[in-house]
Amino acid sequence: MESLSQQKKYDYIIVGQGLAGTLLAHFLLVENKKILVVDQALPGATSTIAAGIVNPVTGRRIAKSWRFEALYDFAKKTYRDLEDLLGIRLWTDRNIVRALHNTFEENEWDRRGAYPEYEAFFEEKAELGNFEGKIKPAHAWGELRHCAQVSLPDLVKNYREKLIESGNFLEEVFEYQFIDFQQDGVVYKNFKAEKIIFCEGARATENPFFSYLPFVPTKGELLLVKIPGANFEKILKHHLFLVPLPGTYIDNISTTENEKAADIYWAGSTSRFEFDDPFPSEDHKSELLEKLENTLNFPFEILAHQAGIRPTVSDVRPFLGLHPEHGQLAIFNGLGTKGSSLGPFFAHQMAHFLLHKSHLDDEVNIRRFSKRGR
């Protein structure tokens, strides 16, 4: 243990710099808090490969996403603020065109669209636009508005550069055995803080302090594809999601500048609860390729096959709160597949909980899993 004179003091240490850690760091820095973010890129991180879809109506039941109105408005404002801060584009409004594969789905779509609380999200008539003639036909089509695509890989990458530049970043794998609890805070190696907040994504299952929470990690895989001349502007949900991407998303792939400018799409994704490792697998690739061929009626080229482990949870609600025994430790995790819309609102709520002891929603507070929780 370092001597007191050698300890570097922070208000908060954040472990993990995916979407959750990035957004929490942002809101704490806005409040002029001194933070240290500890992270090292590991296989399986989903924020660096996520499509970033913001979708008001999801699933086979065609159900409105939980608390979507409040989440949408807050998310859009937050990402716009981050665009101004980082000098990049993050948020793109994109309608979603959804294939309805049978009469039941068509009737259910019409029934939902007649509800007053759904009316704002349903276009009266689906317009295929540039999809016309380039995708396989479906029984019927529906179209959603108030949707978006958020460039999460760009957010994480550029915010990391900002943290490094300001001296708020430590690149290493966090080692739990070096936590030392003290009455007035917590020490990690030679860093002292009021609290450590874990935003580790799926790695939380290895965290000895929070592994009791009911994480249900899922492995997802996707393809990055080039579809020359497609010019798709909307998001397509057919046999899979097909999402137009900004060129910066594929900076790690060997392509020409012209290829980066257009015609690159995110195609996915699979979802498996049982998996052996975080790496791309041939069976998932075959599954995705089959779905893509059943979706497109147009030539395409596979540029990359990627995989990640999502920090999904048993009740499909995020995890926020303090450890039931060690109040110096906190968690902000479990954003799952809807992290683009959930993340900003609950990162802000978590920041205000830490700073002002404000209320955490009961539906996301981890005390719902522990009688001793705070």
Side-chain angles (χ1 to χ4, degrees):
M1 187 60 61
E2 302 284 342
S3 68
L4 293 178
S5 62
Q6 294 176 301
Q7 289 177 354
K8 298 178 182 178
K9 295 183 179 180
Y10 295 87
D11 295 307
Y12 300 101
I13 296 172
I14 297 173
V15 182
Q17 198 247 321
L19 177 61
T22 297
L23 291 170
L24 182 59
H26 170 64
F27 285 117
L28 290 174
L29 287 172
V30 166
E31 296 283 349
N32 296 314
K33 294 301 170 182
K34 188 177 181 181
I35 66 168
L36 177 69
V37 178
V38 182
D39 185 72
Q40 185 171 73
L42 296 172
T46 53
S47 295
T48 58
I49 63 171
I53 301 172
V54 175
N55 187 356
V57 178
T58 63
R60 294 180 180 177
R61 296 188 302 110
I62 310 178
K64 185 158 69 73
S65 297
W66 176 61
R67 299 179 63 173
F68 184 80
E69 289 86 351
L71 296 173
Y72 175 88
D73 290 340
F74 196 91
K76 188 168 187 176
K77 180 184 183 305
T78 299
Y79 292 123
R80 292 297 193 205
D81 290 344
L82 284 163
E83 286 179 335
D84 292 340
L85 177 69
L86 300 173
I88 59 174
R89 184 176 181 180
L90 296 172
W91 178 281
T92 304
D93 292 303
R94 297 190 191 278
N95 279 14
I96 296 177
V97 174
R98 175 168 171 166
L100 307 172
H101 295 288
N102 50 54
T103 302
F104 174 81
E105 288 188 5
E106 182 182 15
N107 290 340
E108 187 69 4
W109 186 269
D110 292 339
R111 185 177 71 86
R112 290 285 192 185
Y115 291 173
E117 62 268 33
Y118 283 72
E119 186 177 2
F121 306 113
F122 281 64
E123 294 284 5
E124 185 174 343
K125 180 183 178 181
E127 298 290 345
L128 291 184
N130 289 338
F131 292 127
E132 196 75 55
K134 299 172 186 174
I135 58 175
K136 299 291 176 66
H139 172 80
W141 298 97
E143 184 168 348
L144 295 168
R145 53 180 176 258
H146 298 303
C147 314
Q149 187 264 332
V150 183
S151 300
L152 299 184
D154 287 340
L155 170 61
V156 171
K157 174 187 174 183
N158 284 272
Y159 210 91
R160 176 171 297 209
E161 292 172 358
K162 172 181 167 59
L163 291 168
I164 292 171
E165 184 179 343
S166 58
N168 297 112
F169 190 81
L170 176 64
E171 186 170 4
E172 69 174 41
V173 176
F174 189 88
E175 299 176 276
Y176 308 105
Q177 68 270 26
F178 290 107
I179 294 177
D180 179 33
F181 297 104
Q182 299 186 352
Q183 286 187 340
D184 60 344
V186 61
V187 172
Y188 173 69
K189 297 186 176 179
N190 65 322
F191 307 104
K192 185 172 183 178
E194 179 183 337
K195 285 181 172 60
I196 298 175
I197 307 105
F198 292 99
C199 306
E200 305 166 285
R203 191 176 180 238
T205 56
E206 303 171 19
N207 187 316
F209 300 100
F210 289 102
S211 58
Y212 73 92
L213 292 172
F215 281 95
V216 188
T218 56
K219 182 179 180 180
E221 301 193 27
L222 63 105
L223 299 175
L224 295 183
V225 297
K226 181 175 176 63
I227 313 175
N231 299 317
F232 299 152
E233 296 180 352
K234 300 175 183 178
I235 297 169
L236 178 70
K237 175 66 171 73
H238 201 340
H239 295 285
L240 42 54
F241 273 103
L242 198 62
V243 186
L245 294 177
T248 50
Y249 187 106
I250 57 163
D251 278 344
N252 60 328
I253 300 172
S254 177
T255 56
T256 68
E257 289 303 316
N258 288 335
E259 285 179 319
K260 289 184 179 182
D263 293 332
I264 308 299
Y265 300 86
W266 185 101
S269 66
T270 61
S271 183
R272 302 282 176 84
F273 291 105
E274 296 182 2
F275 50 88
D276 297 322
D277 58 57
F279 304 107
S281 58
E282 284 303 314
D283 61 329
H284 281 242
K285 184 177 182 179
S286 298
E287 177 183 339
L288 288 165
L289 187 57
E290 180 180 358
K291 289 181 177 180
L292 195 56
E293 290 171 341
N294 288 332
T295 295
L296 286 172
N297 191 26
F298 206 69
F300 65 89
E301 172 191 353
I302 297 175
L303 298 179
H305 174 206
Q306 299 176 328
I309 310 299
R310 306 183 188 98
T312 47
V313 301
S314 62
D315 64 356
V316 202
R317 296 290 183 267
F319 290 147
L320 284 72
L322 300 181
H323 189 273
E325 296 177 358
H326 303 292
Q328 305 97 321
L329 303 183
I331 189 170
F332 174 47
N333 205 332
L335 297 178
T337 57
K338 298 181 180 179
S340 297
S341 52
L342 291 170
F345 183 91
F346 287 108
H348 182 263
Q349 186 173 113
M350 186 68 190
H352 275 246
F353 170 73
L354 294 168
L355 296 171
H356 311 298
K357 297 183 171 59
S358 57
H359 177 70
L360 288 177
D361 290 356
D362 291 339
E363 290 177 282
V364 301
N365 196 324
I366 61 170
R367 67 184 177 186
R368 68 194 192 269
F369 300 110
S370 173
K371 294 179 180 178
R372 298 173 299 171
R374 303 184 178 196

